[in-house]
Amino acid sequence: MIGLGKMGGNMTLRLLRDGHRVVAYARDKAKGAPFEKEGAECVYALEEVPAQLKTPRVIWLMIPAGVVGGVIEDLLPHLDEGDIIVDGGNSNYRDSMARGEMLAGRGIEFLDCGVSGGVWGLDLGYNLMAGGKPEVFARVEPVIQSLAQENGYLHTGPVGAGHFVKMVHNGIEYAQMQAIAEGFEILRAKEEFDLDLAALADLWMHGSVIRSWLLALAGNALGKDPDLSKIAGYVTDSGEGRWTVFESIDLDVPAPTITLALQMRFRSRQDESFAAKLLAALRNEFGGHAVKEAK
């Protein structure tokens, strides 16, 4: 396992608990120590990882999309024909297709495997979507099965299909989260009713058609801090929402909800919208409407 962050670290622990032998790459001993205590065999130089594994090796990457290519290049001189690289991060599916083709030319197998489940996956299990050759998937399936919830994994197709499905999954996630956020802002704005937002989230988890894990998580957050006073309304994006929108354009498929959810994330990062200021200025220019002075 290369990548011991929130996802890769918990996945390592889940594999260890299910009886797998895991060699884990850590940047330093402080990072590796907690995993060694759980039974992982940690190494602290990337090129030493393959030497610790019997062939055919399975090397699982849980690292940011931007560094996957460099890590694969560093590993390649130390790999043998028939070894398998699994990219479990959120790489662009087109990059995964290109990497699969490049690795095939070197005799190395490749799976692109989208992983969902967040920090809860350690105890509850993950959802996995894997692309690659069926026979390569079959070789890695025992690991995937250990990571997954019951019925929580699928071989989705050839190389690229796993990350494509995960990309669209995350685009849908953007839209669902935005709808929940907007609805609860409307509820909160109706001050005369003094609504208990956490209680409403819990209520809707019992028989409502909008019940979902995201709704349950909203209830958790609102229960801890009803006004979310400790959280800034600044929302980043890791790329999958953008890629989903780009793909919808390429395929001529309308996706207004996902697109607007992505745009709202952009808006959340502005201290003040220049576009909104210009709108106010235009109303003042053509109609003499009052404007609110900036502080």
Side-chain angles (χ1 to χ4, degrees):
M1 180 67 72
I2 297 175
L4 294 176
K6 292 178 181 178
M7 291 291 286
N10 280 350
M11 289 166 67
T12 295
L13 296 176
R14 188 169 173 89
L15 290 172
L16 290 168
R17 293 176 186 180
D18 208 37
H20 293 276
R21 174 177 177 253
V22 182
V23 174
Y25 166 70
R27 292 188 303 274
D28 53 59
K29 292 188 176 181
K31 181 70 174 179
F35 298 97
E36 289 186 326
K37 288 181 181 178
E38 295 290 336
E41 302 170 32
C42 288
V43 295
Y44 300 96
L46 190 63
E47 64 273 13
E48 294 178 7
V49 172
Q52 305 304 312
L53 299 168
K54 294 180 181 179
T55 56
R57 307 172 178 92
V58 176
I59 298 180
W60 195 298
L61 310 181
M62 285 304 295
I63 53 180
V67 300
V68 169
V71 170
I72 289 176
E73 287 297 328
D74 290 342
L75 286 171
L76 268 177
H78 309 284
L79 299 180
D80 296 309
E81 187 172 336
D83 288 347
I84 300 171
I85 293 177
V86 182
D87 181 2
N90 286 322
S91 294
N92 187 290
Y93 80 96
R94 296 182 189 273
D95 292 337
S96 296
M97 293 173 70
R99 286 171 185 142
E101 185 176 354
M102 179 273 291
L103 290 168
R106 305 282 290 271
I108 308 299
E109 304 292 354
F110 182 73
L111 287 180
D112 56 299
C113 186
V115 183
S116 183
V119 297
W120 298 80
L122 172 59
D123 296 319
L124 300 180
Y126 298 91
N127 184 276
L128 300 101
M129 305 142 255
K133 297 176 184 175
E135 62 271 24
V136 176
F137 174 80
R139 285 170 55 189
V140 182
E141 188 172 7
V143 171
I144 292 174
Q145 193 170 34
S146 290
L147 290 169
Q149 288 190 19
E150 186 177 359
N151 300 318
Y153 70 90
L154 184 69
H155 177 234
T156 56
V159 169
H163 281 154
F164 181 82
V165 171
K166 180 57 164 49
M167 175 192 76
V168 177
H169 164 284
N170 282 23
I172 293 169
E173 178 186 299
Y174 277 40
Q176 290 180 330
M177 292 171 67
Q178 184 65 32
I180 290 169
E182 292 174 7
F184 275 86
E185 184 162 21
I186 294 169
L187 292 169
R188 185 174 182 269
K190 195 66 173 176
E191 295 179 357
E192 65 191 270
F193 290 156
D194 192 26
L195 297 169
D196 185 332
L197 302 187
L200 287 174
D202 181 67
L203 169 68
W204 287 342
M205 286 301 297
H206 298 85
S208 164
V209 296
I210 64 167
R211 62 187 181 275
S212 68
W213 190 47
L214 288 172
L215 184 61
L217 294 177
N220 288 348
L222 292 165
K224 290 182 286 188
D225 184 3
D227 293 320
L228 304 180
S229 57
K230 298 178 181 179
I231 298 175
Y234 185 102
V235 188
T236 61
D237 71 282
S238 54
E240 301 92 318
R242 298 182 188 220
W243 301 338
T244 304
V245 172
F246 296 159
E247 201 68 28
S248 77
I249 295 169
D250 288 343
L251 296 173
D252 295 329
V253 175
T257 306
I258 295 173
T259 302
L260 287 174
L262 174 66
Q263 296 291 334
M264 287 303 295
R265 292 196 179 199
F266 299 156
R267 178 64 183 89
S268 77
R269 301 170 207 168
Q270 296 179 306
D271 291 330
E272 188 170 14
S273 167
F274 182 80
K277 293 172 72 169
L278 186 55
L279 285 173
L282 285 169
R283 292 183 76 245
N284 177 259
E285 290 292 330
F286 73 69
H289 299 287
V291 295
K292 187 175 181 179
E293 291 187 8
K295 294 181 180 179

